[in-house]
Amino acid sequence: MTESQDVLNAWVERVHCAGIDVNCHANGDVAIAAMLTAVERAQKLYPRPDARPRITHCTLVNDALIARIKAAKAIPAVFSTYPYYNPDKFPFYGEETLEHAMALRSFLDAGIPACAGSDFDPGPFSPLMALQAMVTRKGWDGKTWGANQRITVAEALKVNTLNGAYATHEETIKGSIAPGKLADFVVLADDPHTVDPDRIKDIRILRTVTGGATAYEA
């Protein structure tokens, strides 16, 4: 914790009242609880039905926190490459902790539209690595941690696309391929649904299109 609850409450209230969605970095369960307390307080004092507060990382949760996150309509921006990129830290956390960390399965099962975050540049900015990590929960060392939090490829794609657009109130213009939306998409050499899950991060990117114009082509 870097701020007292009173200081956090004041900042969240100020941002919330300005019509801006709060986005707070909170990793541990104590910090997440403090963030939720501030958001709940601000909403009670100054209701904003369209508010979509975000919790960056939102790493370690429990059932009570998940219920509060859903009630507050908060959106976890989960550190999605972490399970693959940082397994050297996991023996210090332990398996029991990892069963409640980067808890995408729990969030989605609760109906919470969690999105993804890379923590770039301390963490790698690689959407395909993120997809692989979310689907396998396996690190670069081949060990699996918190397998109960695995999600499907289809769910991981939604977390990385449409849910991210929803978090910023942009779901009507981006996040999926549909008439009237921005022509932003990527063409991959293989289908993440059918390739070996342990090779998703290695799928070649053939083309990226932004606003209907090719930005990259292999």
Side-chain angles (χ1 to χ4, degrees):
M1 297 294 292
T2 61
E3 301 289 359
S4 68
Q5 188 69 58
D6 287 343
V7 170
L8 182 59
N9 287 349
W11 271 109
V12 169
E13 179 183 331
R14 181 178 178 183
V15 174
H16 177 81
C17 288
I20 301 170
D21 284 338
V22 175
N23 188 355
C24 186
H25 183 289
N27 251 317
D29 51 354
V30 174
I32 294 166
M35 161 63 169
L36 289 168
T37 295
V39 166
E40 292 159 351
R41 174 184 174 276
Q43 274 284 34
K44 184 176 181 179
L45 291 173
Y46 307 100
R48 270 183 51 212
D50 64 336
R52 296 176 187 176
R54 291 188 300 283
I55 308 175
T56 293
H57 291 352
C58 200
T59 302
L60 183 62
V61 295
N62 52 46
D63 290 344
L65 287 174
I66 290 171
R68 289 178 67 187
I69 289 168
K70 183 174 183 179
K73 298 181 181 178
I75 300 172
V78 179
F79 187 178
S80 51
T81 55
Y82 201 86
Y84 178 84
Y85 190 69
N86 291 110
D88 51 306
K89 298 176 181 177
F90 295 165
F92 298 99
Y93 300 160
E95 174 61 25
E96 184 178 357
T97 296
L98 267 296
E99 289 177 357
H100 302 276
M102 294 82 73
L104 282 164
R105 177 77 277 150
S106 296
F107 290 140
L108 297 185
D109 285 351
I112 297 168
C115 62
S118 67
D119 201 31
F120 183 78
D121 58 355
F125 184 74
S126 175
L128 290 175
M129 183 189 291
L131 289 180
Q132 178 172 314
M134 289 187 273
V135 170
T136 67
R137 294 285 294 206
K138 187 183 295 185
W140 53 261
D141 58 358
K143 297 179 181 178
T144 301
W145 295 86
N148 62 305
Q149 295 297 344
R150 288 170 175 158
I151 60 176
T152 68
V153 171
E155 289 170 328
L157 284 168
K158 187 175 181 182
V159 165
N160 252 33
T161 55
L162 191 57
N163 287 8
Y166 178 83
T168 54
H169 299 266
E170 295 177 293
E171 70 273 17
T172 60
I173 62 167
K174 62 195 294 188
S176 61
I177 298 173
K181 290 194 173 185
L182 299 173
D184 298 344
F185 60 90
V186 60
V187 180
L188 303 177
D190 294 293
D191 184 352
H193 295 87
T194 58
V195 74
D196 179 350
D198 291 330
R199 303 298 297 172
I200 292 175
K201 68 177 180 58
D202 300 319
I203 296 175
R204 284 199 312 128
I205 297 171
L206 300 181
R207 185 183 179 203
T208 59
V209 176
T210 303
T214 297
Y216 167 82
E217 194 159 13

